[in-house]
Amino acid sequence: MTMFDTRKMNLHSRRIFYFALLVILGAAGELLRIPMIFGLNITFSSIFLLLILLLYNIRTAVAGAAVVAVISYFFGGNSSLVFLLIVEVAAVGLLLRRRRRNLFILDLQYWLFIAAPILFILYFSFNRELNAAITIYVSKSAVNGAFNALIANILLAYIPARKWINEGVYSRSRVPLGQILFQLTMAASMFPFIVFILSGSIFHTSDLDQKALQRSGAIAAYIADELNTWPQQELRALQLESIAEIGKLRDVMVKADNEPMISMGLLDQEQDILVGSQKRLTGAGEDWKLEGIVYRLAENFYIQFPDNNRTPFVVDAWKEAVYIHTSKLPVTPFSLQIRVPMQLYAADLITLYLINYVGILIFVILMSFFSIYTGRYVTGGLRKLAGITSGLPEKLHNHEKVKWPSSGVEEVSLLINNFADMSENVTRMLDESERLYQSLRIQTDKLAVSEAKMQQLAYHDVLTGLPNRLCFTSLLSTLIANHESTASDGLIGVLFMDIDRFKQINDTLGHAVGDMLLKEFGARLEAIQQERRLIHGDMTVCRLGGDEFVILMNGTSRVLMAKVAEEILEAFQRAIFLGEHELYIHTSIGISVYPDDGDSGDEIVKNADAAMYAAKGAGGRRYEFFSASMQARLIERLQLENNLHKALELEEFELFYQPRVCTATGELRGVEALIRWRQPELGIVPPDKFIPLAEETGVIHAIGEWVLRTACRQNRMWQLAGYPELVMAVNFSARQFENPNLLQLFTSILNETGMAANLLEIEITEGFLMQDKQSAAEVLRKLEAMGVRISIDDFGTGYSSLSQLKDLPLHAVKIDRSFIQNIGWDETKSSIVSAVIQLAHGMGLRVVAEGVETSKEYEHLSSINCDELQGYYFSRPLPLFDMEQILRQQQPLLGGSLKEDLV
């Protein structure tokens, strides 16, 4: 069975279920009646039968009405006229076929023009007369039917029955405003009247019962009182059924109530009649409780209705009903039966209810016409407005003439006027927009050109024209997504690189030269890309920012990645000419592979970056593939960074001191304070491992302040202990000079420790000076004004010359160890160092050679008049205790600490 067949079967089952449910409700509405006076009832069966008519079709509704009629006939007592349910459904269904109109009006028309004539004819055929009773019956039935039609209409309008039956999905339908007004008006009109009639029926029925009970009771009491006055011999004669006493009792009955319609009878012990107020008391002596339908209303008080099968009109049966009062006569074995006919009190009530029912019917008819007229009056303008406003934008755009309706309702008229005003404004706006359209077309063409340019700017680097970081990130994400969806065997490679020592070149030669270098670097990578594309295919060069470049390779292998990396390294073996500058640059390359080295683009780029730093750490000018060990080093670096933040607080730093001696005498002239980190888990961490990390994280400011304060305090303590005055040299990095309160820091520490400013020497690198010479000179002059000495550390490694430093307030120059090592055997180094010493002396600067390790180096430096020496030949960096041992000896250090040559 297909899905369509299953759905169709489910729909069919659902329709059968709801049909059965409505039939059951219709039967319940017919059997569970609300009783009224004259034996009339309010029923609700037609509500559900009309719902079947509206939801299904006329044949289904007629079949449902027939089922309800049969059930009512067999279980509802006197229900001979239930065939009118079938006629009602069929007639209303035919009327609906001809014209879809208000169900209430159609049902009312049925009762007035079809059901009413049928009922009058039937009544006349049974009774040979027409009277008020049949008019009441017809009026009640018409009001009941119209009310049920109104309820059915309301239920269908506000309950999604069609969706339940046909689709099983809840959906609220839209109800016209006129229908809502009509339903509200009719419900508000009919419901109070029906409640009034029901309450009146209950009251009048009870009132009739009380009147009959009181009258019959009074008759019985009168007769009993009369019998109490009789002498015993008359009572005995009466018991013997004496004709004289029986006649006398008849006279008492007549005197008790002379209403001819009321009959009284004296019954013996066998319930045979002895005497009656009338010549014949029909049925009094028989078992009257088995005749017709008898209801007990009170003690010894009953009401008897004739057999229902005699007439289909319950009004007739109600009119012929009789109240029966039975009582035991005192001092006799006889019983008294009093019969009070309902007709005795019915005349006035029939007139009253005739007026009520006919009045209600007339009122309902008038109110229906009034509601229809009012609904059309109120909603007519709205309907016309809805019709006119359908497709209004197209009409206004085509400049069609719109004829706005009028309405006598103020709010509707105001709404129409508002729509008219808005339409005029919209028309003007459309005309203006049409004029702007041509202008916008021109602007659109210009915007398209601008958008293309913006696209270029958004995804390409301005300087080199290469794809930028945004473009690279998007492309890498796309490649990874495609790789996952296609399950490709090829790899995605990321080659991450930057220019070795680019910052020094940029700071030394200027940003203009640096920009030209970046363009040339990108151009050479592009040349490799173009050449490799002929062999490899998908390969993209991007600039991420600064001097960072990346090559993205798709569908490749590790072998091909390595070949490309080798070609890149080879491409930069050749010199680069930038104007008058000839540069030899190198790069370090880190390679990360997807999916081997990560699951996401961010992870792949991060690992390629780590691999590049590993290549730099291995000496640079090489490439490295990412490995797990690099990840371990990254974790170690993170752990080192976390520990570094706590080192000061935990007092893990310590200062070592390396002596500086006079070349001529070997006397101690000063010391250089060198920081050491004793980490409990890692041991002694060398400065070259944690100082760059401290500069990167900003912790260098706190560490530098601690070093400066500790060195100054220790130097002052040595002076107070009587040791010779020494110059305390402290290294300062470029990051420390970023502190805006640097001068205040020096002043505060010098004042706090009491050390003379001329005994403090700040060692700075020449690379820092070349970054911003003017700003550096300003800070250094202020330090010099305070008395602080300034020296250049690692001179010769920063692409500068003494002539470039002549305007700076310097006191000494420290020649880097790379120039001192093997100086006695290397004539080139000897010439360079000799020239530097002569130029420095010519500028009034002292010269310090660092890294002296052999006697040969010492003797050569002495021969070319170097002022001071520092290195392992004299002493290693010493902890505080060992340094104080040397101070206490107060002897020259000529080879004192390291006798053997360290060649």
Side-chain angles (χ1 to χ4, degrees), residues 369-388:
F369 285 109
F370 175 77
S371 299
I372 293 172
Y373 173 77
T374 304
R376 291 179 178 177
Y377 182 77
V378 172
T379 63
L382 288 176
R383 286 197 304 271
K384 293 179 181 178
L385 180 63
I388 290 174

Side-chain angles (χ1 to χ4, degrees), residues 460-508:
H460 288 79
D461 178 52
V462 177
L463 179 63
T464 63
L466 295 173
N468 59 12
R469 180 184 295 273
L470 180 61
C471 182
F472 165 74
T473 303
S474 175
L475 180 58
L476 178 58
S477 299
T478 302
L479 292 178
I480 291 176
N482 293 338
H483 188 278
E484 293 176 351
S485 62
T486 59
S488 174
D489 295 332
L491 301 176
I492 299 174
V494 174
L495 283 66
F496 198 102
M497 69 201 76
D498 66 5
I499 302 173
D500 293 341
R501 301 177 66 85
F502 173 75
K503 190 175 188 305
Q504 293 181 352
I505 298 173
N506 198 39
D507 293 339
T508 303

Side-chain angles (χ1 to χ4, degrees), residues 644-645 648 653 675 690-691 693-709 731-742 745 749:
L644 184 61
H645 283 278
L648 270 178
F653 290 119
I675 188 171
F690 72 84
I691 290 299
L693 184 59
E695 290 181 341
E696 181 181 339
T697 59
V699 183
I700 191 65
H701 294 291
I703 294 176
E705 181 179 347
W706 179 86
V707 171
L708 182 61
R709 178 176 283 105
N731 289 285
F732 251 68
S733 69
R735 286 296 304 272
Q736 290 176 265
F737 275 86
E738 295 175 359
N739 184 0
N741 300 319
L742 184 63
L745 176 65
I749 290 177

Side-chain angles (χ1 to χ4, degrees), residues 832-873:
I832 293 174
V833 172
S834 178
V836 169
I837 292 174
Q838 291 178 16
L839 286 172
H841 286 166
M843 297 172 61
L845 302 177
R846 297 171 64 254
V847 180
V848 180
E850 55 183 354
V852 180
E853 297 181 351
T854 67
S855 59
K856 188 75 172 177
E857 294 169 356
Y858 164 68
E859 291 171 358
H860 186 81
L861 290 169
S862 298
S863 66
I864 58 178
N865 298 322
C866 184
D867 298 303
E868 295 182 16
L869 305 174
Q870 178 181 344
Y872 281 12
Y873 181 71

